Amino acid sequence: MRRGPAALLTALLLAVVTGCSAGGGGEDRGPEPTPRRELWQPRPGLAWQWQLDGRVDPSADVPVYDIDGFENSAADVARLHRAGRKVICYVNVGAWESFRPDKDDFPRAVLGAPNGWQGERWLDIRRVSVLRPIMERRFDMCRDKGFDAVEPDLVEGFGNETGFPLTARDQLAYNRMIAEIAHERGLSVGLKNDLPQIPQLVDDFDFAVNEECAQYGECERLTPFVEAGKAVFHVEYAEPTGRFCPQSRRLGLSSMLKKPELGVWRRAC
């Protein structure tokens, strides 16, 4: 039966009201997506503290702290935030560690040769389908504790004796996956060492972390990060500050002298 304009209008309004109230007849769009927070972009020259030995000591008067993601709580991160600091979450993504709470999540097949640190073994980074969910959970931890960024360690396995035939291509794919996991969670991410692949990875990472580039005469290889307006957080362990600080200032690096155990002590340039 054909209906007149008034009846059609009434039916249309009824359908709209019914669809809005009960969901019937209307498209179920699901929950609104959570907006992604803006990534923190540390700029060259920012002073920093790097403490991986135990819970953080907040006594260093610097704007950036890099601390262990497992050893520190959300309350520790919040305390640093209240003091106006940005906080980086240290996570090992290239080696298995026998002392971590998620150690049993790693199948034995992905564990390679010891890497020189007690209780650690290189990972087979080619096994991305196995490792990605584990790293996603670790980065979830960093996000949920309120960290601003992640420092993923040991992302240069292809240049070491890992027990696996890793290639530069394997490393590039894995490192880009790690950066993607961080960015999906609203976390900035730093490229740790891996100097040979800086030209290919500088666009994927938001800052760099480097150990001992001055001792080995390699600090100028980090200039692509500085030229892109991205911080380079740098430490030396053996070189006196008088030897590396002048070059660090010239290159725009955020440099300091630390003891290898990475406790509270620091001597900045």
Side-chain angles (χ1 to χ4, degrees):
M1 179 187 299
R2 294 185 62 183
R3 290 182 280 182
L8 287 172
L9 179 59
T10 301
L12 179 60
L13 290 173
L14 181 60
V16 171
V17 172
T18 302
C20 291
S21 61
E27 182 182 355
D28 184 5
R29 299 180 183 274
E32 289 294 322
T34 303
R36 180 178 294 182
R37 65 180 180 178
E38 185 177 354
L39 290 176
W40 170 53
Q41 179 59 78
R43 298 300 175 186
L46 272 179
W48 70 307
Q49 168 66 308
W50 196 19
Q51 184 197 334
L52 301 185
D53 184 17
R55 284 187 63 188
V56 63
D57 179 328
S59 59
D61 186 15
V62 294
V64 179
Y65 270 70
D66 188 338
I67 62 178
D68 189 278
F70 284 101
E71 296 293 329
N72 293 276
S73 67
D76 294 320
V77 176
R79 178 173 56 169
L80 291 170
H81 280 161
R82 287 195 296 271
R85 279 78 177 255
K86 293 291 188 181
V87 195
I88 302 171
C89 182
Y90 170 88
V91 175
N92 194 333
V93 302
W96 174 81
E97 299 162 305
S98 64
F99 46 88
R100 296 302 189 188
D102 62 352
K103 64 183 185 299
D104 294 332
D105 292 349
F106 294 83
R108 292 188 62 84
V110 303
L111 307 186
N115 68 356
W117 293 91
Q118 186 175 0
E120 297 189 21
R121 294 169 63 180
W122 289 104
L123 293 172
D124 186 354
I125 60 168
R126 300 169 301 172
R127 303 286 297 276
V128 293
S129 63
V130 174
L131 295 178
R132 179 166 188 142
I134 299 172
M135 299 308 161
E136 287 177 338
R137 290 192 291 272
R138 287 186 165 192
F139 284 27
D140 286 343
M141 173 191 69
C142 295
R143 177 201 58 203
D144 295 344
K145 288 184 177 181
F147 283 92
D148 302 287
V150 178
E151 179 213 332
D153 197 12
L154 296 184
V155 293
E156 72 284 1
F158 79 104
N160 293 270
E161 296 296 327
T162 63
F164 306 110
L166 304 181
T167 67
R169 176 178 286 187
D170 295 329
Q171 195 69 63
L172 284 173
Y174 187 73
N175 290 0
R176 286 181 172 131
M177 181 194 77
I178 290 296
E180 181 182 85
I181 292 171
H183 289 155
E184 287 174 351
R185 285 151 181 77
L187 297 165
S188 301
V189 61
L191 180 65
K192 177 76 170 288
N193 298 322
D194 195 16
L195 295 175
Q197 296 187 328
I198 285 177
Q200 296 99 318
L201 293 173
V202 63
D203 291 337
D204 298 284
F205 287 80
D206 307 294
F207 57 93
V209 179
N210 177 264
E211 296 170 291
E212 300 186 296
C213 68
Q215 181 174 342
Y216 297 103
E218 298 176 323
C219 289
E220 291 192 2
R221 300 180 72 175
L222 290 151
T223 55
F225 274 96
V226 177
E227 290 173 350
K230 301 176 179 182
V232 175
F233 298 118
H234 161 237
V235 298
E236 293 291 326
Y237 301 122
E239 294 289 295
T241 54
R243 273 191 201 163
F244 68 86
C245 283
Q247 183 192 42
S248 290
R249 285 190 285 267
R250 177 174 61 83
L251 294 177
L253 311 185
S254 301
S255 300
M256 61 182 171
L257 181 66
K258 293 284 291 185
K259 297 175 182 178
E261 61 268 23
L262 294 176
V264 177
W265 185 88
R266 65 188 291 274
R267 181 173 293 162
C269 289

